[in-house]
């Protein structure tokens, strides 16, 4: 497994520092998400996933830094657990998973259409990463918060039993109760 510095270098070599994203570049966003997860007390595996969460693209940002067929590259870089979380996050079909996630614990894979049921720890990591990602985007582009704040307040409130307490507290701080 590589150091944080190695991972950041890999992201720059993959062009993340040249891809536009709210708040500047995708690289800056990835760094902020990884750092925020650390501040909120999430473990090193979740932090590493936060730093690389867009490697395979996401349902909300469909530009991949790495082909899913090359998962071993990311696995070697951040570790198997972090890579699995990045893959789960990137594969999550938000429209088919997010609203019912707290009730079902299931994630519909947008690549395969299969339904996955992560264990409780993996589900918490996915929820924490998803919340922190959206909070960063909202802070960087307040218009998103104005247009979608009510949706995210409701969604994150439904996820509160799944999420880390500090992540939920941060969501309430950013979005209001």
């Amino acid at each position: 497994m590589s150091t944080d510095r190695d991972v950041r270098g890999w992201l720059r070599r993959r062009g993340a520092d040249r891809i536009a994203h709210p708040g500047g570049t995708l690289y800056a966003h990835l760094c902020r998400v990884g750092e925020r997860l650390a501040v909120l007390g999430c473990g090193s595996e979740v932090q590493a996933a936060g730093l690389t969460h867009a490697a395979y693209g996401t349902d909300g940002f469909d530009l991949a830094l790495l082909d899913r067929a090359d998962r071993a590259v990311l696995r070697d870089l951040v570790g198997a657990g972090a890579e699995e979380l990045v893959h789960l996050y990137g594969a999550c079909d938000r429209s088919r998973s997010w609203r019912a996630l707290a009730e079902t614990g299931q994630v519909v894979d947008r690549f395969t259409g299969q339904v996955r049921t992560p264990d409780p720890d993996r589900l918490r990591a996915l929820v924490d990463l998803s919340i922190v990602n959206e909070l960063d985007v909202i802070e960087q582009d307040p218009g998103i918060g104005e247009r979608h704040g009510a949706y995210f307040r409701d969604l994150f409130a439904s996820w509160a039993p799944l999420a880390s307490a500090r992540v939920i507290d941060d969501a309430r701080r950013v979005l209001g109760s």
Side-chain angles (χ1 to χ4, degrees):
M1 203 163 69
S2 303
T3 66
D4 186 73
R5 182 178 175 167
D6 294 333
V7 175
R8 289 173 186 244
W10 180 83
L11 290 168
R12 286 189 300 274
R13 287 189 302 279
R14 302 301 297 185
D17 58 340
R18 296 182 304 276
I19 299 169
H21 194 277
T25 65
L26 178 60
Y27 176 78
H29 167 69
L30 294 169
C31 291
R32 286 190 306 267
V33 169
E35 291 162 5
R36 189 178 203 145
L37 288 163
V39 167
L40 295 174
C42 295
S44 59
E45 184 177 282
V46 178
Q47 293 171 43
L51 183 57
T52 57
H53 71 268
Y56 306 123
T58 73
D59 194 7
F61 192 80
D62 200 27
L63 190 146
L65 300 175
L66 182 66
D67 189 287
R68 289 181 302 116
D70 298 325
R71 288 181 65 182
V73 171
L74 188 61
R75 192 176 304 118
D76 290 346
L77 189 66
V78 297
E83 186 280 331
E84 173 57 31
L85 180 55
V86 170
H87 187 266
L88 180 65
Y89 180 83
C92 179
D93 183 328
R94 295 174 182 185
S95 67
R96 295 171 58 197
S97 303
W98 276 13
R99 277 289 183 194
L101 191 59
E103 295 170 21
T104 66
Q106 296 179 332
V107 175
V108 177
D109 187 312
R110 70 186 178 103
F111 302 124
T112 67
Q114 294 179 320
V115 176
R116 297 167 61 182
T117 306
D119 67 52
D121 290 338
R122 180 65 60 202
L123 188 58
R124 169 161 285 167
L126 174 66
V127 167
D128 286 349
L129 173 56
S130 297
I131 292 171
V132 168
N133 173 72
E134 297 303 331
L135 294 178
D136 182 71
V137 171
I138 288 166
E139 287 181 329
Q140 299 305 314
D141 184 349
I144 293 173
E146 291 168 14
R147 289 187 305 276
H148 305 290
Y151 166 78
F152 284 118
R153 270 190 297 281
D154 291 346
L155 181 66
F156 297 163
S158 78
W159 287 358
L162 305 175
S164 299
R166 290 176 66 187
V167 171
I168 287 296
D169 288 345
D170 197 35
R172 289 180 181 134
R173 179 189 62 78
V174 172
L175 297 169
S177 296

